[in-house]
Amino acid sequence: MKKLLFGAIVLSFMSACNSDNMSNQNENPANEEVSSADMFKRGCASEEVRQEALKSNAQLRQKFVTLEANTEKFANELKLGKVLADGTVEIPVVVNVLYKTTAENVSDARIAEQIEVLNADFTGTNADASKIPAEFQTVSAGDTKVKFRLVNTIRKATSKTSWATNDDMKKASKGGIDATNPSNYLNIWIVGKMTSQGRTILGYATFPESAGLWNDGVAIAAPYFGKTGAASPFNLGRTATHEVGHYLNLRHIWGDASCGNDQVTDTPTQTTANYGKPTYPLYNTCSGVQRSVMFMNYMDYVDDAAMFMFSAGQKARVQSVVASTGARSGLRLY
């Protein structure tokens, strides 16, 4: 209906332009002399030529209508913060809190703190970015052009003491919380405790091939969410940075195999995951080549205080999935 109305407006506008042209022709006879002052005024016939083309070509008129509609849509999205003026995609976040104890019911302040950490880490403004070794500064991502904005927090009490990685926290029918429109929102679930095959799990995420599915998003155990009150050495909010990295199509830096491939060319190949707080430089040998590895990358397994960078290659992968043609383009439309 809007398109039909817009088309009618375009046609009436064209008629008005044609009427004006006819009036001008009568007011300015062809044999009237043009003053020397008029000769030095800027003239442009672009709009007149356009109107003539639109008048005689229905297909062109439809393209014109579509062009203006898309332009208006983009302008409105900028106003709402979907794509910021500098091209940054601002991802809307819904945090779903499942708690049994007061400690598990993380505060609004702690949630806001976690969003701040995500924004700092993904824009390269984290204070510890100054620790990036000179060797890797040239391939540091800096600003990935992705930011995060909290739009809602949903809380639900539960009798469960532990959760698995089977997505039950994402199902209301299993005592969890159903995702809020996962095509357009990053859903984060906070639970009291997570285990898998007897191991403690800090968090896990779905990759972009799951975009829009009912279980799409990130799950994090409460002790490793945010900073205030979080459990050391995972108390700087980097569990969320790591898991959101997966959500945006980043793999573990060692490629989940001995000397594996993380599909990023500027992250040195390494034998396996690193833990704790390694000392730089740390060398690994793969295929007979010894390399200094990027253990301080957010996609390794080191302690929160030891990770503080993404690489430029990782930035390109992130950008590809949030682009207008990417798997997570829906995050632009909220």
Side-chain angles (χ1 to χ4, degrees):
M1 185 65 185
K2 289 181 179 178
K3 287 187 176 180
L4 291 175
L5 178 59
F6 190 82
I9 293 171
V10 171
L11 290 175
S12 63
F13 174 68
M14 288 167 54
S15 298
C17 287
N18 291 336
S19 297
D20 288 344
N21 289 340
M22 291 176 65
S23 298
N24 290 338
Q25 289 172 4
N26 292 332
E27 292 166 6
N28 298 287
N31 61 356
E32 182 178 289
E33 291 186 9
V34 179
S35 71
S36 59
D38 287 339
M39 291 178 65
F40 290 95
K41 289 180 179 177
R42 185 185 300 276
C44 175
S46 298
E47 186 61 30
E48 293 152 8
V49 172
R50 180 192 215 184
Q51 294 303 327
E52 189 63 30
L54 290 173
K55 182 175 67 174
S56 58
N57 189 323
Q59 186 177 16
L60 204 62
R61 285 198 297 274
Q62 182 56 50
K63 288 183 178 179
F64 171 76
V65 170
T66 302
L67 169 66
E68 289 304 318
N70 287 340
T71 301
E72 182 180 6
K73 178 174 177 289
F74 182 78
N76 287 334
E77 287 179 359
L78 284 177
K79 293 176 185 176
L80 294 173
K82 300 168 183 178
V83 181
L84 304 181
D86 66 352
T88 296
V89 175
E90 189 178 57
I91 296 175
V93 181
V94 175
V95 175
N96 305 288
V97 184
L98 291 156
Y99 64 95
K100 183 178 181 182
T101 67
T102 301
E104 294 171 357
N105 189 16
V106 297
S107 67
D108 289 343
R110 190 163 157 188
I111 293 172
E113 185 179 63
Q114 180 64 79
I115 298 297
E116 288 178 3
V117 171
L118 285 172
N119 280 327
D121 289 350
F122 277 86
T123 59
T125 57
N126 51 302
D128 48 4
S130 60
K131 298 179 181 179
I132 298 173
E135 175 187 6
F136 298 130
Q137 285 177 6
T138 57
V139 295
S140 175
D143 187 358
T144 66
K145 294 295 184 181
V146 169
K147 288 184 179 179
F148 304 86
R149 183 172 69 177
L150 179 69
V151 296
N152 195 19
T153 300
I154 302 171
R155 300 178 184 276
K156 183 178 181 180
T158 178
S159 59
K160 293 189 70 165
T161 57
S162 181
W163 300 79
T165 55
N166 59 1
D167 291 335
D168 277 359
M169 72 283 291
K170 306 172 185 180
K171 297 179 182 177
S173 61
K174 294 287 188 177
I177 300 172
D178 290 339
T180 298
N181 194 358
S183 293
N184 304 125
Y185 297 84
L186 163 56
N187 280 262
I188 298 177
W189 286 267
I190 304 173
V191 298
K193 179 183 178 183
M194 270 194 292
T195 60
S196 176
Q197 300 177 342
R199 295 181 301 127
T200 295
I201 301 295
L202 277 63
Y204 72 100
T206 53
F207 283 84
E209 62 266 24
S210 297
L213 298 181
W214 66 272
N215 64 338
D216 192 21
V218 170
I220 299 175
Y224 318 112
F225 185 86
K227 296 192 292 185
T228 304
S232 179
F234 308 110
N235 57 347
L236 296 180
R238 264 57 192 270
T239 296
T241 300
H242 179 100
E243 298 305 337
V244 172
H246 287 318
Y247 177 83
L248 295 175
N249 208 29
L250 300 183
R251 300 181 63 178
H252 289 137
I253 194 171
W254 68 98
D256 292 284
S258 178
C259 298
N261 186 358
D262 66 348
Q263 306 300 321
V264 178
T265 58
D266 60 10
T267 54
T269 305
Q270 62 186 56
T271 53
T272 187
N274 292 296
Y275 298 89
K277 297 179 181 178
T279 300
Y280 173 83
L282 176 65
Y283 292 99
N284 281 187
T285 300
C286 289
S287 301
V289 179
Q290 187 181 64
R291 299 177 177 86
S292 170
V293 298
M294 196 185 286
F295 65 80
M296 68 291 303
N297 192 284
Y298 292 122
M299 302 315 294
D300 207 332
Y301 270 0
V302 294
D303 293 351
D304 279 19
M307 54 169 59
F308 35 79
M309 72 172 289
F310 287 120
S311 76
Q314 289 173 321
K315 172 182 176 177
R317 286 179 67 83
V318 167
Q319 282 286 291
S320 72
V321 295
V322 298
S324 59
T325 55
R328 294 204 180 280
S329 61
L331 296 174
R332 294 167 167 254
L333 305 175
Y334 64 93

